[in-house]
Amino acid sequence: SKMTNFHNPNRQKRIPMSSMQGVLLITALLAGCFANRFALALPNLPDKFFRCICKIESNCNPSIGCVNDPVTLSCGPYQIKEAYWQDASEFAGEHIGGGWKSCTTGPDKMSCSKKVMLNYFQRYGRYCTGGREPTIEDYARIHNGGPHGCRHSSTDGYWAKVSRCLG
């Protein structure tokens, strides 16, 4: 007797996903998770901005190390606190410069500190301004007063110094 193969119309045909489709799907999902990191490039600030911050913070003293600023330590020519470095590193997705003190007081302290500042500014710029494109004034005041620094009158004096320096 002959066996008959009956076609079952209810049986779903599996469509195998190619490995490339799988990679693209995972990439798209990951990109969605990290979109905040890559959505906007880091702020483009002139060298003079950094020179002025450095001058105001430490007179650009390369050997300043860490200074007690009244409650917590601030390190390097830009006087960066550990929480500032931590917030910037978290945003960047890496321990910038290996660690807070190695970054802010080590051999690459100038470029490493700038990287910290740019990541901090990118993290908190629009947060501070309520969504408006941040200005150089906003960034200076955020450097001095933290995530809400651009909103606080306590950073007015600091901005006045930066503004004078910028000319």
Side-chain angles (χ1 to χ4, degrees):
S1 80
K2 211 175 186 187
M3 272 179 93
T4 315
N5 269 341
F6 289 100
H7 174 68
N8 180 352
N10 297 328
R11 195 170 138 244
Q12 288 184 335
K13 189 177 180 196
R14 273 219 180 130
I15 302 166
M17 184 163 56
S18 76
S19 59
M20 183 49 92
Q21 284 171 317
V23 168
L24 289 174
L25 177 65
I26 290 166
T27 305
L29 290 171
L30 285 174
C33 294
F34 297 107
N36 67 318
R37 290 215 179 115
F38 307 116
L40 295 163
L42 295 177
N44 186 15
L45 294 164
D47 288 341
K48 191 169 189 182
F49 171 83
F50 291 100
R51 282 198 301 274
C52 288
I53 300 285
C54 183
K55 187 178 170 197
I56 291 157
E57 293 291 348
S58 69
N59 210 20
C60 287
N61 180 350
S63 56
I64 193 166
C66 298
V67 177
N68 240 334
D69 173 22
V71 188
T72 56
L73 285 179
S74 294
C75 295
Y78 295 100
Q79 290 293 281
I80 293 171
K81 294 179 185 294
E82 188 173 20
Y84 187 126
W85 174 85
Q86 187 69 52
D87 281 0
S89 291
E90 205 175 86
F91 182 79
E94 62 169 307
H95 291 299
I96 301 171
W100 164 50
K101 287 185 180 178
S102 61
C103 174
T104 57
T105 65
D108 293 324
K109 60 185 152 271
M110 299 308 279
S111 61
C112 194
S113 294
K114 280 183 196 174
K115 184 175 181 180
V116 169
M117 292 165 72
L118 289 171
N119 277 280
Y120 192 82
F121 295 158
Q122 185 62 39
R123 180 172 188 165
Y124 292 120
R126 285 180 184 270
Y127 170 76
C128 191
T129 64
R132 156 181 71 69
E133 179 71 33
T135 63
I136 236 175
E137 174 178 352
D138 294 320
Y139 291 132
R141 294 175 68 184
I142 289 166
H143 179 76
N144 179 243
H148 293 111
C150 73
R151 302 181 195 172
H152 293 312
S153 58
S154 60
T155 61
D156 288 347
Y158 188 82
W159 168 244
K161 289 179 193 173
V162 175
S163 181
R164 270 197 303 278
C165 173
L166 290 169

